[in-house]
Amino acid sequence: MERETLLATLLLVLGGAAVQPLVLLPRRALGDRSPQVAERRAWRQLWVPLLPLFLLGAWLAGWALREPDPVPDRVAPGVLLAASVPFVVVAIRAAVRAVWALVRAPRDLPIYTAGLVRPRVVFSPFLARSLEEGPVRAAWEHEQAHVRHRDPLRIWLAQIATDLQWPWPGAHRRFAAWLEILECARDDEARGCGASGLDLAAAVLAIARAASAGSPRRGVAQGMAIDAGLIGSGRALQERIARLSSPLPEIAVPPVRTRLGSAVPWAVAVAMLLCAGAVGAAWGEPVLRPILAWTGSL
Ligand SMILES: [Zn+2]
């Protein structure tokens, strides 16, 4: 069997199986921390179930580097390919939805942030005509916060991570919870930049009304949209308006994150992947040999 084909098949079978236990973990409460801190925590919760998949991928890549091509005939391709079918379906579904999210028309909203690589705020004359200067500025600050954090790209990646955990409902709940706290975090950032909470609440309500009065595509549900709008999830709208109408709590001021502090999680992740690859190169063969031999005996 071709080495790369075997690597991809093993990644689908073993990686797909490794994801399942962590997907079933209950969602941890985000606590009463500031929305910015809670948003980062919710973001990590989206990716934790996929951690075994990434580590296994690095481990298998390390193993494959020392494996001859083609792999000796102790492998039973039919057994491995049959076992990979459920995970192939999940992967194809995730890929199709990821492409569709890129090519579909953006949500029909008066203001939103679009663009994966270079996010930009798309602004409709509706806002200027129907709202006063304060709410328009507040909406603009909210969208600028989406731009600073490259949220369209993050929403797209989060949707892919969620789709790779399909069909478990817990994954979708984690995604929905992250989208809700994301909007609160951007609200607080906009208020920290000088926007008034009441102005922002007025803008959110006006756009939500326009969305509900418009075509079905203007619905407030995020769906498969990857553009970061002002209104987010309709379910949390009431709670969000109440929050915006209250003074910005002290706890909402996020701790200052230095560039070094932001780089630490990435450095840890890269170190873990390199370690997994090294372990796979050193000890992958003794571990995989009995597994492959077992499939050959079926
Ligand atoms: Zn938003």
Side-chain angles (χ1 to χ4, degrees):
M1 193 174 187
E2 293 290 329
R3 182 178 57 192
E4 285 72 22
T5 307
L6 179 59
L7 175 64
T9 309
L10 285 173
L11 184 60
L12 280 167
V13 175
L14 301 179
V19 166
Q20 308 308 313
L22 292 184
V23 175
L24 298 175
L25 285 177
R27 186 166 65 86
R28 290 173 59 194
L30 297 175
D32 295 329
R33 299 168 181 236
S34 79
Q36 284 93 333
V37 175
E39 186 272 322
R40 288 199 289 268
R41 175 176 282 192
W43 170 258
R44 285 194 295 271
Q45 287 186 11
L46 287 175
W47 293 95
V48 162
L50 296 179
L51 198 57
L53 176 64
F54 295 137
L55 291 176
L56 198 69
W59 186 85
L60 284 170
W63 161 79
L65 285 176
R66 300 189 60 182
E67 194 69 8
D69 189 16
V71 178
D73 57 1
R74 59 177 180 269
V75 180
V79 174
L80 281 177
L81 291 174
S84 70
V85 167
F87 307 118
V88 168
V89 171
V90 173
I92 290 176
R93 178 181 179 274
V96 168
R97 283 170 57 83
V99 172
W100 172 242
L102 289 179
V103 299
R104 74 193 288 277
R107 286 188 296 168
D108 190 12
L109 292 174
I111 184 169
Y112 59 90
T113 303
L116 293 187
V117 181
R118 289 186 179 176
R120 69 196 185 286
V121 178
V122 180
F123 195 90
S124 154
F126 162 83
L127 276 185
R129 284 200 308 268
S130 56
L131 292 178
E132 295 180 2
E133 185 181 345
V136 170
R137 178 172 177 267
W140 177 263
E141 289 292 352
H142 175 100
E143 296 304 324
Q144 285 299 318
H146 280 308
V147 169
R148 280 191 290 275
H149 294 275
R150 295 180 180 273
D151 284 332
L153 174 63
R154 298 176 76 227
I155 292 171
W156 186 64
L157 292 174
Q159 182 189 290
I160 294 173
T162 305
D163 285 341
L164 288 176
Q165 300 167 49
W166 184 77
W168 301 109
H172 185 74
R173 283 197 287 269
R174 278 189 283 271
F175 181 52
W178 174 68
L179 285 176
E180 286 183 13
I181 197 68
L182 176 72
E183 291 304 319
C184 289
R186 300 304 171 252
D187 283 345
D188 282 7
E189 190 165 324
R191 295 171 78 181
C193 290
S196 153
L198 291 176
D199 283 342
L200 193 48
V204 169
L205 280 176
I207 293 172
R209 281 196 203 102
S212 61
S215 66
R217 280 192 58 247
R218 277 184 160 183
V220 294
Q222 182 77 15
M224 282 174 60
I226 56 171
D227 40 289
L230 183 67
I231 52 177
S233 162
R235 281 188 304 125
L237 197 57
Q238 199 170 1
E239 191 178 322
R240 187 175 163 203
I241 294 299
R243 193 171 184 280
L244 285 172
S245 304
S246 307
L248 191 63
E250 283 292 320
I251 199 171
V253 179
V256 176
R257 266 192 125 190
T258 62
R259 188 178 286 251
L260 180 63
S262 302
V264 166
W266 287 104
V268 170
V270 170
M272 287 172 67
L273 292 176
L274 288 175
C275 285
V279 170
W283 295 290
E285 171 64 14
V287 174
L288 275 181
R289 191 188 307 136
I291 297 174
L292 297 176
W294 175 71
T295 64
S297 68
L298 294 175

